[in-house]
Amino acid sequence: MARNQEKSQALFNRFLASKTDKEKVGRITRRPFLATECRDLNEADKWRQQILREVGKKVMEIQNAALGEHRLRDLNDEINKLIREKGHWEKQIRDLGGPDYAGSGPKTSEAIADGSEVEGASGKGQGYRYFGAAKTLPGVKELFQRQAPRTVRRTRHQMFKEINAAYYGFRDEEDGIVVKAEDEAEASIRREAILEHNEKEAEKKAVLETVKGDGLEEDAPKFIAHVPLPDMKDIEQAVLQKKKRDLMARYASATLQAEEEEAKALLNKKSRQE
């Protein structure tokens, strides 16, 4: 019986000793409330790393949309509070002669970069961020939706106010650019017209030289026929043939017309043989 009491007493003593050690360690390793209370550079850097780990853990937790609206809002506030505290520790590290984390290197870690900042829209102050599922909360989702630009139609009075002499082109020649461009275009068109006229005149002279020496007087008007013209005999023959075809088409049958064509073919054949 005494042996059991000694064992339980020893176990109880070990429990009290471990609890005392934990309390001592907790008192020693608890992060100071103010960053300015820490005067050791290594300790300040350790507290900054601890804050970054806490931020990463809470950012992973806030990704779960099933936590509920109140828990998500509390987590988002805690993350923003830790980010502000991290900034205080970085300032203290810089004052103690350590590296400038805020000015050099990446400004935010991967966990902090996941947040979307809304300035002046949430009433939380400048730099407040929303993380994970907190972006989809009621009243927060609308902050990230950009409104479409509103198109305002001008009234008739506003449009008439912009109508002046320049609208009708009365001031186009004041800058001198339009006049210069018009002069250059006019000179180019004039040169092309002169070249075309000279080419036509050269063609006319060439045709006149070909008909020169036909016994025409120099002062007499000269007529040049560019196509062969029929004489009176050809014209009469063509009129007669047309009238004959019209009569045959009106009074002769198809059989008679075929016989006439056959007779004509025979006559032409005989005349060729002779």
Side-chain angles (χ1 to χ4, degrees), residues 239-255:
V239 173
L240 182 61
Q241 292 292 335
K242 185 177 183 305
K243 289 182 178 180
K244 188 175 181 180
R245 286 194 301 270
D246 293 341
L247 291 172
M248 289 293 293
R250 181 178 298 179
Y251 298 107
S253 62
T255 306

Side-chain angles (χ1 to χ4, degrees), residues 133-191:
K135 298 177 185 179
T136 60
L137 291 174
V140 179
K141 186 177 180 180
E142 290 77 6
L143 299 177
F144 299 102
Q145 294 177 351
R146 296 183 178 179
Q147 296 182 356
R150 183 183 176 187
T151 57
V152 181
R153 295 185 61 182
R154 295 185 299 173
T155 62
R156 187 180 296 271
H157 176 68
Q158 292 174 345
M159 290 188 289
F160 274 110
K161 283 176 64 177
E162 298 180 2
I163 297 177
N164 49 25
Y167 176 81
Y168 294 101
F170 294 140
R171 296 178 180 174
D172 293 345
E173 299 180 357
E174 292 182 358
D175 54 359
I177 299 176
V178 177
V179 177
K180 184 178 179 181
E182 289 179 352
D183 292 341
E184 293 177 356
E186 183 179 356
S188 176
I189 295 172
R190 190 186 299 274
R191 286 194 299 269

Side-chain angles (χ1 to χ4, degrees), residues 55-270:
V55 169
K57 188 182 300 183
K58 291 182 181 295
V59 167
M60 290 180 62
E61 184 180 357
I62 204 174
Q63 304 298 327
N64 186 7
L67 293 176
E69 179 181 351
H70 298 290
R71 179 56 181 162
L72 290 174
R73 291 186 185 276
D74 292 341
L75 275 174
N76 201 77
D77 291 339
E78 292 174 6
I79 294 171
N80 281 276
K81 182 180 177 181
L82 289 172
I83 292 174
R84 288 195 300 271
E85 188 176 355
K86 179 182 74 71
H88 297 323
W89 282 105
E90 289 176 351
K91 183 178 181 299
Q92 180 65 14
I93 291 171
R94 186 177 66 250
D95 295 340
L96 294 174
D100 186 7
Y101 292 105
S104 61
K107 293 185 178 181
T108 57
S109 63
E110 294 182 0
I112 300 175
D114 179 66
S116 299
E117 181 177 352
V118 180
E119 297 182 359
S122 60
K124 302 282 186 177
Q126 186 177 6
Y128 190 86
R129 294 174 177 270
Y130 289 94
F131 297 85
K135 298 177 185 179
T136 60
L137 291 174
V140 179
K141 186 177 180 180
E142 290 77 6
L143 299 177
F144 299 102
Q145 294 177 351
R146 296 183 178 179
Q147 296 182 356
R150 183 183 176 187
T151 57
V152 181
R153 295 185 61 182
R154 295 185 299 173
T155 62
R156 187 180 296 271
H157 176 68
Q158 292 174 345
M159 290 188 289
F160 274 110
K161 283 176 64 177
E162 298 180 2
I163 297 177
N164 49 25
Y167 176 81
Y168 294 101
F170 294 140
R171 296 178 180 174
D172 293 345
E173 299 180 357
E174 292 182 358
D175 54 359
I177 299 176
V178 177
V179 177
K180 184 178 179 181
E182 289 179 352
D183 292 341
E184 293 177 356
E186 183 179 356
S188 176
I189 295 172
R190 190 186 299 274
R191 286 194 299 269
E192 293 177 0
I194 292 173
L195 290 174
E196 185 179 357
H197 176 73
N198 293 337
E199 291 177 359
K200 290 182 179 180
E201 290 295 328
E203 291 178 0
K204 290 180 181 180
K205 289 181 180 180
V207 174
L208 290 175
E209 289 178 357
T210 56
V211 299
K212 195 173 182 181
D214 292 342
L216 299 174
E217 297 181 0
E218 295 182 358
D219 297 336
K222 299 176 182 179
F223 299 97
I224 302 171
H226 298 281
V227 295
L229 297 176
D231 54 4
M232 291 302 297
K233 186 177 180 180
D234 295 335
I235 294 173
E236 292 176 357
Q237 187 69 23
V239 173
L240 182 61
Q241 292 292 335
K242 185 177 183 305
K243 289 182 178 180
K244 188 175 181 180
R245 286 194 301 270
D246 293 341
L247 291 172
M248 289 293 293
R250 181 178 298 179
Y251 298 107
S253 62
T255 306
L256 184 60
Q257 292 180 10
E259 291 177 356
E260 185 180 359
E261 292 293 336
E262 186 178 356
K264 285 183 180 180
L266 291 174
L267 292 174
N268 291 334
K269 186 176 181 181
K270 288 181 180 181

